[in-house]
Amino acid sequence: MMESKWSCEPPALKIGDLVARVPIVQGGMGVGISLAGLASAVARAGGIGVISAALVGIYEGEAYFFKNPTEANIQGIKRQIALAKKKAPGGIIGVNIMVALTDFEPLCRAACEAGADILFCGAGLPLNLPELRPEGANTKLVPIVSSPRAAQLVAKRWWSKYQYVPDAVVVEGPKAGGHLGFAPDKIEAEESRLEVLVPQVLEAMKPFEDKAGKPIPVIPAGGIYTGRDIYYYINKLGAAGVQMATRFVATHECDAAPAFKEAFVKATKEDLTIIKSPVGLPGRAIRGTFIKEVEAGKKKPYKCIYHCLKTCDYRKSPYCIAAALINAQRGRLEAGFVFAGANAWRVDKIVSVQELIDELIEEYCQALKEDQEGPRA
């Protein structure tokens, strides 16, 4: 843990018996954008580092992955968790596992066995997640939702079937990067705004907090960019902490290739666009050559390398999203594209994770100070 060098100490993010001194969860980013390198750096800085499980087996060697993808993914997630834990002793390491992944269930079990501190599960409702945690595992279970109704559905199912409530809930708004849990016509809707959703999810969790006799921290995500944003969600709306992903791409420790990170630095506001993903969901990405070609109707001939997502209708898709994301992660942007949050255009430089955390906390402290001093005469 770092020595105290900030002008104030933000409230720690507590998820069960886990305590993160920095109330920031680094959002899981696939494919290969947040692996052990980024996650361990965030954990060392006092936040919660998150490894993405999406196609993690590809980094075990392509020949092995294509021969036995499930086995490679399981080996990959275990290796990444072990590596992150080694690099950040005592730090909190989570894993993001999308419900839409074909290997969702075996990956959840494997991550728990490997000692992941938290599972963050979205892109679908993780209704059976408690039964995927092996006996004796202390891994916290956190659904990612995009509405109070979804949060309620998960909590209701877990309580009635397992006598268990979520250890926390991440509520992701429409300004997030990657796949979005909103219909295209709802992305800009007033009722979809994160600041509208957070109080509703807090309210929806109250009955379950009462039943279980413990708090269910609510963690907003999607479009949170500055320390002032963090202050607003924690101190004004009652959130326990925040999740941020886009900011962590532009760090030296991020696991993506330099060209991927540079795409964020170069992006303008106009470059950010909503695409229709082969997965059947809208997604926010930076419009580059690849996306422009898809928009122009130029199909990319390919065969499905591995049916990685249950919802992907690969027979009708103009391209393979897995191949496109792997290419982008490796810096081959002409053959892939970059998912990014709505504020990605604001990124102007690449810094270390520690520098970023220090900047965010100082901005938080400044907002706190101004609030305490009140309006000036």
Side-chain angles (χ1 to χ4, degrees), residues 110-148:
C112 293
E113 287 164 7
D117 295 304
I118 311 172
L119 294 191
F120 295 94
C121 300
L125 296 180
L127 297 174
N128 66 334
L129 188 56
E131 70 188 52
L132 303 178
R133 184 174 63 176
E135 197 71 39
N138 192 35
T139 306
K140 306 296 181 278
L141 307 178
V142 179
I144 302 172
V145 300
S146 53
S147 70

Side-chain angles (χ1 to χ4, degrees), residues 128-174:
N128 66 334
L129 188 56
E131 70 188 52
L132 303 178
R133 184 174 63 176
E135 197 71 39
N138 192 35
T139 306
K140 306 296 181 278
L141 307 178
V142 179
I144 302 172
V145 300
S146 53
S147 70
R149 187 173 166 272
Q152 215 164 20
L153 267 171
V154 173
K156 202 171 178 180
R157 172 69 67 89
W158 288 14
W159 184 253
S160 65
K161 199 172 177 185
Y162 310 106
Q163 289 289 288
Y164 194 90
V165 295
D167 292 294
V169 173
V170 172
V171 53
E172 196 168 89

